Amino acid sequence: MTTPLTIDVFNSGYKPIPAGPGWDDGTPATWPASTSTLISGRRDALLVDALLTVAEGERLAAWVQNSGRRLRAIFITHGHGDHFFGAGPLLDRFPDAQLIASDQTVVAEAQASTSSQHMAFWNSMFAGQLASSPVVPALTSSHEFDLEGSSLAFHTIGRADAGALATIVHLPQLQAVCSGDIVYNNIHLWLRDSTAQSRAAWLACLDLVAALKPRTIITGHQDPDAPDDDATRVLDESRRYIEDFEQSLARSAAPHELIEAMHAKYPGYGNRYSLFLAAQTQFPS
Ligand SMILES: [Zn+2]
């Protein structure tokens, strides 16, 4: 008998950040709400992604402790700081847990995210809130993870959100996927500095996740009030968002036109500042 697995999701909510010039939305600029997912058996657990700030890492560590499970590993889906800079407090509380990634490129991109240049970028938004030298995940040689007799699979998918190499965790037993930033749930997609080519690469990643035929997808960024984790809905909406962005961009002469067109199509989506940044970068002056 394999142990039945359960999934629990921690959502960070939105964090205020300093707004760039031109932001006049009437709401604070924020960083997208992020998730960390605990996959549990009866005794043990694997955590997927580890959030950004020290305070978030501490809250997450207490939440994991509260589950009563022994944390064996923290899997990092891709090398962006908002998915692993918060790991320190977890590793302090669970010293036997390993911080892992399943692709050498993810390790290298995570390492690059801790360079002084990248840390300056993160500290410009989260001054005093981040680990000074975040722990970087180590490469795990196995693409299978045994959780009390149930097998979890790590897959490398491709380049999605902001061009990072994206990996996922597939839970065949639950027909579930932890998608990292390939799929978004009720929140504006991160299309800052994206190009027609990078958006096409992202769409191809969505197709590869869909091919696994999941019923549930836990997305790396998710509005705290998102209605559900239905795989078909979040895949369809993420695909349509990228296609709508492409079409609206072609019809827009300035950022505000693109922003208005996308707001009309996605009025309930969270983190409007992501769309503002995406639009700003599409019209080089
Ligand atoms: Zn992210």
Side-chain angles (χ1 to χ4, degrees):
M1 263 277 306
T2 52
T3 303
L5 302 179
T6 56
I7 294 177
D8 294 286
V9 181
F10 184 100
N11 192 311
S12 71
Y14 298 102
K15 290 185 284 295
I17 54 175
W23 174 249
D24 58 0
D25 186 77
T27 61
T30 49
W31 190 258
S34 309
T35 66
S36 181
T37 305
L38 192 68
I39 303 168
S40 304
R42 289 197 179 86
R43 297 182 312 273
D44 293 351
L46 172 85
L47 190 69
V48 183
D49 287 340
L51 306 178
L52 175 58
T53 67
V54 171
E56 280 175 346
E58 286 169 352
R59 279 165 53 214
L60 183 60
W63 179 78
V64 171
Q65 181 124 49
N66 208 32
S67 75
R69 302 306 197 282
R70 180 176 68 117
L71 186 63
R72 285 182 46 206
I74 306 160
F75 178 85
I76 303 303
T77 56
H78 63 291
H80 287 158
D82 57 335
H83 296 261
F84 75 95
F85 282 5
L90 286 147
L91 297 169
D92 289 345
R93 198 178 289 230
F94 303 96
D96 295 333
Q98 293 181 302
L99 187 65
I100 57 173
S102 61
D103 194 297
Q104 180 54 41
T105 301
V106 173
V107 173
E109 290 181 357
Q111 186 74 55
S113 292
T114 65
S115 69
S116 52
Q117 188 192 353
H118 279 92
M119 290 306 293
F121 163 78
W122 288 109
N123 281 309
S124 71
M125 290 181 289
F126 300 100
Q129 301 177 60
L130 305 178
S132 52
S133 45
V135 187
V136 170
L139 183 67
T140 175
S141 53
S142 176
H143 286 215
E144 298 273 319
F145 188 89
D146 181 273
L147 193 58
E148 299 176 29
S150 289
S151 184
L152 314 180
F154 305 143
H155 296 291
T156 294
I157 301 295
R159 295 198 175 272
D161 153 288
L165 185 68
T167 67
I168 62 168
V169 181
H170 182 211
L171 298 79
Q173 187 199 90
L174 296 177
Q175 293 178 272
V177 163
C178 295
S179 72
D181 287 359
I182 297 174
V183 194
Y184 277 52
N185 190 347
N186 271 58
I187 187 166
H188 288 284
L189 276 64
W190 191 264
L191 289 170
R192 183 181 189 171
D193 295 320
S194 65
T195 62
Q197 194 182 13
S198 73
R199 292 187 290 268
W202 193 339
L203 287 171
C205 291
L206 288 167
D207 291 342
L208 290 171
V209 174
L212 296 170
K213 301 198 183 325
R215 292 168 57 167
T216 299
I217 295 182
I218 312 299
T219 63
H221 294 293
Q222 176 172 328
D223 186 85
D225 297 323
D228 55 43
D229 299 302
D230 182 78
T232 304
R233 183 183 64 79
V234 293
L235 282 167
D236 286 353
E237 286 189 20
S238 294
R239 189 181 287 117
R240 189 158 54 80
Y241 187 100
I242 296 171
E243 291 168 352
D244 283 339
F245 187 91
E246 203 72 63
Q247 287 167 12
S248 301
L249 174 59
R251 292 194 204 105
S252 299
H256 73 93
E257 292 181 23
L258 174 56
I259 291 170
E260 281 160 24
M262 291 301 284
H263 277 166
K265 292 191 169 82
Y266 300 92
Y269 268 32
N271 223 66
R272 293 155 71 101
Y273 193 60
S274 299
L275 174 61
F276 169 80
L277 292 175
Q280 294 284 68
T281 58
Q282 299 304 316
F283 299 89
S285 47

